[in-house]
Amino acid sequence: MSGVDAFTYRPARDELAYTFGGREPVARVRSGSVLQVQTEDCFGGLVRGAADLPSRVCQMPYLNPVSGPFFVEDAEPGDTLAVHILGIEPVREWGVSSTFPHFGALTSTSHTATLQPPLQERVWVYDIDRSAETVRFQATGSEHSVDLPLQPMIGTIGVAPGAFEVRSTIVPDMHGGNLDTPELRAGATLYLGVNVPGALLALGDGHARQGEGEACGVGVEIATVTTLVVEVIKGVSTVWPRIETDRDLMTVGCARPLEDAYRIAHRDLVGWASDLTGLDELDAYQLVSQAGRAPIGNVCDPNYTVLAAVEKTLLPSPGAAYDGAHARLRQHAAGPR
């Protein structure tokens, strides 16, 4: 199949993927292509109401599906794939969240084993009002409801890892994956290092919104139609995922313990800021120390995710990151309909 410049992909249930790597591409696209991709929620659309407990309706390992992968022509190991998110639209008028007995930041898990009783498994259903751009929280064991801003994001996006690895879509790491950061929303450009020919980009796990850290381990999970544009940046390597917005440069670290994820992200941001601006490395370290932010993506997945962020206006006459890819890609129209 030859590459295309605009592509719409709506997978059937049996076409969804559960790994990065180990899958044949579903399509070939060119650098500069606009993709409109339908994604399913982390439960595969099987959790629809309070009675649909994930342990009853879902089956491991068929959780956190992604759509793809897409083979990007001319992408080779050592290159960088820039992925600009043009839009994320909920497919349904509702989203769901849940608690699990042994999953989340505030319970015992297989990694943090204790004698405390497991949490109750429970499902919350959120009504989505797209015209008002709100998501309604409705308490299930109390009398309370409140409208929260609708802020769609993609929880899982990445490329195939290198060295013949196949990674579960639940894992975040150097290839991307289940990063679970609210920063991956419309208007953001994600930079991923290419590890295999074609990069093999895949995405899924949309959230209508999510608090930083994703404390219970589950956002407001939704199916989406996500529109994005890709570009291959030749001969430029990217070790850990990076994100650029109109305001910020951000770097991503994934590891356990949490402080190692923090260190990875901040080491990369200090180096990126220094390389981009010519700022002495210790000066860049000092500036990031006083002006940077550290949004937490997740503290629940097999690896934790921490970001390091700095506003571009605080840097001294920065050059355009990745030869201006963010500014170039954001000019694209909303893509195929």
Side-chain angles (χ1 to χ4, degrees), residues 310-329:
V310 67
E311 294 186 24
K312 291 187 282 189
T313 57
L314 300 178
L315 299 175
S317 303
Y322 294 96
D323 196 29
H326 172 73
R328 185 165 56 251
L329 294 177

Side-chain angles (χ1 to χ4, degrees), residues 102 108-109 112-118:
H102 294 289
S108 59
T109 70
T112 305
T114 72
L115 291 175
Q116 71 185 82

